[in-house]
Amino acid sequence: MDTNTGNNVSEPTAENIPMHKGLPKGYENKMVIILAIAFGFVLFDRFAIANLQNYIIADLGIDYTQLGIITSVFSVTWAVVGLFGGYIADTKMSRKVLLGIFVLLFSVCSLLTGVATGFIMLLVIRAVMGVFEGPIMPISQSFIIPQSTPSRRGMNIGIMQVAAAGAISSLAGPLVQVGLANSIGWRMSFVITIIPGIIIAIFCFKVLINPNTSGNEYEMKKRGEDIAKREKVPFWKILNHRNIILSMVGTIFLLCWYVCTLTFMPGYLTVNKGFTNVQMSEVMSAFGVGSVVWGVLMPKLSDLFGRKTLVIICSLMGLLSSFGIILAPANLPVMLVIAFFGWGGVAICALMQATIPAESGDPRYTSTILGANQLTGELIGSTVGAIILGRVGDAYGLQSVIFILGLCMVAVLVISLFYKETAPLVVARRQAAAAAKLSK
């Protein structure tokens, strides 16, 4: 029997995750905007290596295997430190201070990427960068989950994690980064990223309000509560829910599909499909347009019609981004349409990585739950996946890589069939219908 840690119920409800009380008017929108820009900028920097790979490979003399290793080492540090950073945010420190510090430090590492002179130096810089970027997503989600109106929770997560990331990273990223590389060089395109990082960090410090959840030592001290009386919850109990376990397994395949598509698709489009760098950047930007549209629409629809239903629909759309692109002719307009609709699969990130596990677990440990989910996905999906697929690309060609990514999305689809519904409105409707049936 499934248990919902910290709550003696078998099914999650809207009450499991309390709405933060006493927030200023308009704060919810400001919070979502700031966190969305911050995370979008994180992914803008993370995937700059992929978007600029043709310049970097030519300049530094690295191959696809080494590109996969660089991606993987980044993912390892992102994943491991993300879990510990999330736990610290849940229990020890001010979330907004921790978030602002991490944003500032990863921006410095992005700047340093532009001065790398070889494979080893680039590897070390990106590994350290992953240390500072890893905790940003679970900490950001731990603001949104308790501080969002229940009927907007999925949409807010979608805006932060998918739509803004798509607009800033996938849509603007390839166009801006390739454009800067052509005009001022790929190195300078990394150096100037320190400027928006400083601005975002300032907004984190000034605007964000720490969520009022029990169990955090920083918040308990502010309220004058006795830390010694804080309930100790074993780590395994924090993750003791069917949906959380399914999400952790599903995220392995989801992040392999997501990260490796953005890593290897630019090379596939130029090498296998014969597109120019500019045409490639346009197709990659079409993925970004898809992120913006589907990243808001699908999570919002999941608020109304259920998380499970929308994960299944988005999984089917995601198959287009791999199998559709392989089968389609090397025609730019056709490829743009496929990329747009196929990237509907990325909306699953907001649901499988964040909303569903957060709604299924103990609200005091939201960052820890999401950090653990991120750990398995990044460590196995992104890290091992990128290394293996890099070797596959060198040995058998990039078309084999894209085909395997399609199989990853098939796995996500199968796993999603076993979810229990968590959307507050849908669960409430079902409970009301069951109660009405019993009363007859």
PDB file of all heavy atoms in Angstrom, residues 197 286 288:
ATOM      1  N   GLY A 197      23.815  37.380 -14.819  1.00  0.00           N
ATOM      2  CA  GLY A 197      23.892  36.615 -13.577  1.00  0.00           C
ATOM      3  C   GLY A 197      23.856  37.507 -12.350  1.00  0.00           C
ATOM      4  O   GLY A 197      23.169  37.199 -11.361  1.00  0.00           O
ATOM      5  N   ALA A 286      13.202  26.332 -32.853  1.00  0.00           N
ATOM      6  CA  ALA A 286      11.827  25.833 -32.944  1.00  0.00           C
ATOM      7  C   ALA A 286      11.511  24.944 -31.747  1.00  0.00           C
ATOM      8  O   ALA A 286      10.375  24.927 -31.248  1.00  0.00           O
ATOM      9  CB  ALA A 286      11.625  25.062 -34.248  1.00  0.00           C
ATOM     10  N   GLY A 288      12.682  25.601 -28.904  1.00  0.00           N
ATOM     11  CA  GLY A 288      12.438  26.611 -27.882  1.00  0.00           C
ATOM     12  C   GLY A 288      11.034  27.171 -27.940  1.00  0.00           C
ATOM     13  O   GLY A 288      10.399  27.400 -26.899  1.00  0.00           O
TER      14      GLY A 288
END
